[in-house]
Amino acid sequence: MEDKKTFDKNSIIGFTLIGLILILFMYLNPTQDVAPEEKPAEQVETSVQKNPEVASPQSSPSLAETTGSSLQDSVTAELAKREYGAFAYSAVKDFAKDDAVTTIENEVLEIQVSNKGGQIVEAKMKQHDTYKGEPVYLIKDGNASFNISFEANDGRTYNTSNLYFEPSLSTENGNQTLSMRAKVSDIEFLEFYYELEPGDYMMNFGIRSQGLSNLISSENANLSWEVKALRKAKSISYENRYTEIVYLYEGDKDDYTGQGDEAIEEDELIEWIAFKQHFFTSILLSDQAFPSAKMTSINLVQDEQIDTLYTKNFLAEVPLKLNNGEFSESMNWYHGPSDFDILSSYERKLDEIVPLGWGLFGWINRYVFIPFFGFLSSSLPSYGLAIIVMTIVVRIVLSPITYKSYLSQAKMKVLKPEINEINEKYKDNAMKKQQETMKLYSKTGVSPLAGCIPALLQIPVFYALFQFFPSAFDLRQKGFLWAEDLSSYDVIYEWDAYIPLVSWAYGNHVSLFPILASVAIFFYTQMTAGQNMQQSSQPGMPNMKVIMYFAPLVMLIFFNNYASGLSLYYFISNLITIGIMLVIKHVIIDENKILAKIEEKKKKPKKKGKFGRKFQEIMEQAAEQQKKKQGVKEDDKKGSKKIDKK
């Protein structure tokens, strides 16, 4: 309801008259008792003995007190009517208190609902703590608001957040049901309905009304839900990276607001809206899709060095269609972990909230890594060991690809002397040099792309795991070795002073797992760079020396604030890869045998396929055009010389 605090002339006159009447009434009706008529002493004494209560001067309120109380009630009712309009009926009741709350709870969740606004003012996770050891709150200390506004035929705009609701709590078969009613009369009301089942994070939530069709003048109402996300993790920048609004629309499409300072999304047929934090989320679901919704996300972390209480401010604005002037909405409310298994159990596509990656990457996580890691973590005594075993299995499965890649590099190494000869022989003719190089590749059956293709095949797996570890709720607050929490960064040294650039890029702490991963990556890139160094001299090829130092540096800086579980994976993965490459190099692959096979293949006549013939024709045409261009340039030079002589 809109606040109308401006007093007009009639209001001032009315309050003045009421005050004068009260003063005049008190003056004409003093509080002293009227003296009774004189009676004989015996009669008075007898009366006192028979009816002591009646004879007492304090036995009943005087006419002045009764009339004054009635007048005070009338004044209170009038003021309530001015402030709350048709809902003044509830505003004068005993439950009309701003700090009055009703609690519903089960084994995992505790919800407090306020009489003011009938809205949730506290949502506590009973089985989870923050990094400081405090209970996890999704809603607390006024960080959230829920409001429905609608137009009325008395010219007012009512806001439910300003109204008082009468609570009624009941329990049946373990289910707790809370009815909150903002009343116009004893039989006319607006009701918010909450129902919480045992052991469940999902609540049934409904909005309905009775007898308000004569009051409400609009066909639609506006629902507004706002939450400032409370910080819960040690690294606010890392937590904020996974904090955003996610929503499902048009049946099976999901979208999100992203990580900008301010992001706004609007869509139609909204199934649910999730205010997602890194590992916890609040979701509003509707049995019938909302016709449309506008979602706004504002980043509240402007300086990561400041101990900020909130990460982002979320706002959802949704129109509600009234049914013949009455509310009739059936919804659900979820306050709980962003756990893939829990969210997927509701079969409403809530698992889309967990960022597993799009397309193929998400498919790999959903059907391979999540079930496999769940099996390992339930079978092994430590989540750190589960990560190590999972990494070993992944590297073994990918080892044939690693072998193909290394074999291609070995072949290129064997051909390096011949390639150098071609480069030296045709250093002034780029086209001829390219032709001869391609002929050599064709004769020997070696392809420079053969080493790149296996590496590309591993990208979906690497990216899927990059998405998996930061989203794995099971890693939260699970320690391993010196890491207290595998879902956050590990610390071996930290400091308080802000160091320009260093604190901004690296942080105010040193994590050991990223250092170990960086060292492993350095040795791995040194091994691969040694095999590919000859390619770096060719035009368009990257400088392998730069990559050899750049990749470990990125790992060292970028992953210092990332989850230690992810750094542990990269460390173990690169160690295993180095071991596999050493075995391939010294045990499996013999460069002399590779050279002998290449020489033998050179002697065999190679039948050119359709693609080979076409490619050769293109190369020949390009060479012919190149010759013509060079001939034209020489003719131009000769012509210019003749002109100069003249």
Side-chain angles (χ1 to χ4, degrees):
M1 181 185 65
E2 290 183 348
D3 295 330
K4 296 186 178 182
K5 297 183 180 180
T6 304
F7 292 97
D8 55 14
K9 182 174 65 176
N10 294 331
S11 299
I12 297 173
I13 294 173
F15 283 119
T16 304
L17 290 175
I18 291 172
L20 291 174
I21 290 171
L22 286 172
I23 294 171
L24 181 61
F25 186 83
M26 293 172 66
Y27 177 77
L28 294 176
N29 297 277
T31 58
Q32 290 86 354
D33 292 339
V34 178
E37 295 181 1
E38 292 184 1
K39 293 184 179 180
E42 294 180 1
Q43 184 178 356
V44 172
E45 187 176 345
T46 304
S47 298
V48 170
Q49 290 175 353
K50 290 183 178 180
N51 300 293
E53 294 180 1
V54 174
S56 173
Q58 298 178 353
S59 61
S60 62
S62 65
L63 176 63
E65 289 174 337
T66 304
T67 307
S69 177
S70 299
L71 187 59
Q72 184 178 1
D73 291 342
S74 298
V75 172
T76 302
E78 179 63 27
L79 292 175
K81 189 173 182 181
R82 290 175 178 272
E83 181 72 17
Y84 301 100
F87 290 91
Y89 183 89
S90 291
V92 297
K93 300 295 184 180
D94 292 338
F95 59 80
K97 299 176 182 178
D98 291 357
D99 58 350
V101 297
T102 304
T103 301
I104 57 175
E105 60 183 320
N106 57 21
E107 299 85 351
V108 297
L109 182 64
E110 180 181 306
I111 297 290
Q112 290 188 3
V113 182
S114 174
N115 291 6
K116 180 68 177 292
Q119 59 183 311
I120 299 173
V121 293
E122 188 169 289
K124 183 175 79 172
M125 307 292 102
K126 285 188 171 183
Q127 298 180 354
H128 301 286
D129 297 328
T130 67
Y131 71 104
K132 293 182 177 180
E134 301 169 351
V136 169
Y137 289 92
L138 297 184
I139 300 175
K140 187 184 180 184
D141 297 335
N143 74 315
S145 67
F146 181 83
N147 179 64
I148 296 175
S149 63
F150 54 89
E151 304 290 336
N153 54 24
D154 58 4
R156 294 173 179 262
T157 298
Y158 287 93
N159 292 291
T160 60
S161 59
N162 294 333
L163 304 180
Y164 289 98
F165 288 71
E166 180 180 12
S168 176
L169 180 63
S170 61
T171 303
E172 184 177 354
N173 298 326
N175 295 358
Q176 289 189 325
T177 301
L178 175 62
S179 170
M180 304 292 292
R181 291 183 176 181
K183 295 183 175 180
V184 172
S185 68
D186 198 40
I187 59 173
E188 299 169 305
F189 54 82
L190 171 64
E191 180 184 40
F192 290 167
Y193 170 89
Y194 301 87
E195 183 183 19
L196 185 60
E197 299 179 2
D200 201 350
Y201 291 101
M202 184 77 75
M203 289 192 305
N204 294 323
F205 175 64
I207 306 170
R208 74 182 190 96
S209 64
Q210 178 176 297
L212 299 188
S213 58
N214 294 328
L215 173 65
I216 301 175
S217 61
S218 57
E219 296 182 356
N220 295 290
N222 296 308
L223 183 154
S224 175
W225 177 36
E226 186 172 12
V227 173
K228 287 198 294 185
L230 289 161
R231 176 186 179 181
K232 299 173 184 64
K234 188 162 52 175
S235 173
I236 190 169
S237 60
Y238 186 63
E239 180 182 20
N240 207 24
R241 189 178 295 121
Y242 297 94
T243 301
E244 59 192 357
I245 298 177
V246 185
Y247 60 95
L248 189 76
Y249 67 103
E250 296 181 4
D252 59 352
K253 301 177 182 177
D254 62 278
D255 205 347
Y256 54 91
T257 53
Q259 300 299 319
D261 287 339
E262 181 176 3
I264 300 175
E265 294 288 339
E266 294 186 66
D267 270 302
E268 298 179 347
L269 299 177
I270 308 297
E271 300 282 343
W272 48 256
I273 302 170
F275 291 169
K276 178 190 174 297
Q277 301 173 45
H278 189 186
F279 285 121
F280 297 92
T281 185
S282 297
I283 314 170
L284 182 63
L285 309 92
S286 178
D287 289 351
Q288 292 184 343
F290 298 127
S292 63
K294 177 182 179 182
M295 285 73 65
T296 305
S297 172
I298 299 175
N299 184 22
L300 301 178
V301 182
Q302 301 301 324
D303 188 350
E304 296 177 1
Q305 302 305 317
I306 298 175
D307 190 16
T308 309
L309 182 62
Y310 305 105
T311 54
K312 284 188 174 70
N313 189 89
F314 297 137
L315 172 63
E317 298 169 287
V318 181
L320 299 178
K321 183 74 174 177
L322 300 182
N323 185 12
N324 296 322
E326 300 285 356
F327 287 93
S328 181
E329 295 287 341
S330 180
M331 294 182 276
N332 297 94
W333 228 327
Y334 177 92
H335 297 284
S338 299
D339 185 294
F340 179 85
D341 292 332
I342 294 176
L343 293 174
S344 59
S345 67
Y346 294 107
E347 298 182 352
R348 297 191 63 175
K349 296 185 180 296
L350 296 181
D351 52 326
E352 297 292 343
I353 293 170
V354 182
L356 300 178
W358 55 271
L360 177 62
F361 312 117
W363 186 92
I364 294 173
N365 275 326
R366 190 180 301 269
Y367 299 108
V368 179
F369 290 140
I370 290 178
F372 184 51
F373 187 76
F375 168 75
L376 291 176
S377 59
S378 63
S379 304
L380 297 172
S382 167
Y383 279 88
L385 289 176
I387 292 175
I388 293 174
V389 172
M390 182 175 176
T391 307
I392 293 172
V393 173
V394 169
R395 293 313 311 173
I396 291 175
V397 171
L398 295 177
S399 59
I401 298 178
T402 305
Y403 169 76
K404 289 287 186 183
S405 179
Y406 193 89
L407 179 61
S408 175
Q409 295 171 14
K411 289 179 179 180
M412 293 295 296
K413 182 180 179 182
V414 169
L415 288 180
K416 183 181 177 182
E418 295 185 58
I419 292 175
N420 289 340
E421 288 180 10
I422 293 173
N423 291 337
E424 183 65 26
K425 185 176 181 180
Y426 301 103
K427 60 182 179 181
D428 296 328
N429 190 338
M431 182 60 67
K432 186 64 174 177
K433 179 170 63 176
Q434 188 70 20
Q435 282 182 317
E436 294 299 321
T437 303
M438 295 304 297
K439 284 181 181 179
L440 178 62
Y441 289 152
S442 180
K443 285 181 181 180
T444 57
V446 177
S447 172
L449 297 178
C452 299
I453 294 175
L456 292 175
L457 292 175
Q458 298 181 66
I459 288 178
V461 176
F462 290 155
Y463 183 77
L465 288 168
F466 179 80
Q467 291 290 105
F468 169 77
F469 285 108
S471 303
F473 183 84
D474 289 341
L475 294 180
R476 185 177 183 272
Q477 295 184 343
K478 301 299 191 302
F480 181 67
L481 299 178
W482 57 85
E484 297 178 354
D485 186 352
L486 288 169
S487 71
S488 185
Y489 58 81
D490 61 294
V491 178
I492 58 171
Y493 180 74
E494 59 184 336
W495 61 92
D496 295 327
Y498 178 78
I499 304 174
L501 190 61
V502 174
S503 296
W504 175 80
Y506 188 70
N508 279 25
H509 66 275
V510 177
S511 299
L512 182 55
F513 275 129
I515 294 175
L516 296 176
S518 299
V519 173
I521 288 178
F522 174 77
F523 284 107
Y524 169 73
T525 53
Q526 195 173 42
M527 292 176 66
T528 56
Q531 295 291 329
N532 292 315
M533 201 65 74
Q534 73 276 5
Q535 298 180 31
S536 63
S537 60
Q538 298 180 15
M541 296 300 292
N543 191 327
M544 298 306 296
K545 289 184 178 180
V546 174
I547 295 177
M548 186 171 61
Y549 295 106
F550 180 73
L553 184 63
V554 170
M555 169 63 72
L556 183 65
I557 297 175
F558 187 67
F559 281 78
N560 193 59
N561 290 302
Y562 256 70
S564 54
L566 184 62
S567 300
L568 172 62
Y569 159 73
Y570 279 116
F571 171 55
I572 301 299
S573 178
N574 282 286
L575 280 183
I576 297 171
T577 305
I578 290 171
I580 291 173
M581 291 183 67
L582 289 174
V583 171
I584 292 172
K585 180 179 180 181
H586 296 289
V587 178
I588 300 176
I589 291 180
D590 188 340
E591 293 183 1
N592 294 325
K593 290 183 179 180
I594 292 175
L595 180 59
K597 287 182 179 180
I598 289 175
E599 292 297 333
E600 185 179 347
K601 202 163 190 177
K602 283 182 184 179
K603 298 175 182 178
K604 294 180 180 180
K606 185 174 180 61
K607 294 182 180 180
K608 294 182 180 179
K610 185 177 179 181
F611 177 78
R613 291 195 301 270
K614 188 68 177 176
F615 182 76
Q616 186 175 358
E617 290 176 4
I618 293 173
M619 295 297 293
E620 289 175 354
Q621 290 175 4
E624 191 66 29
Q625 290 177 0
Q626 185 71 18
K627 288 179 180 180
K628 289 180 180 180
K629 287 181 181 179
Q630 290 178 353
V632 171
K633 288 180 180 179
E634 290 178 0
D635 292 340
D636 290 341
K637 288 180 180 179
K638 291 178 180 179
S640 61
K641 288 180 179 179
K642 290 180 180 180
I643 293 171
D644 292 339
K645 288 179 180 179
K646 291 180 179 180

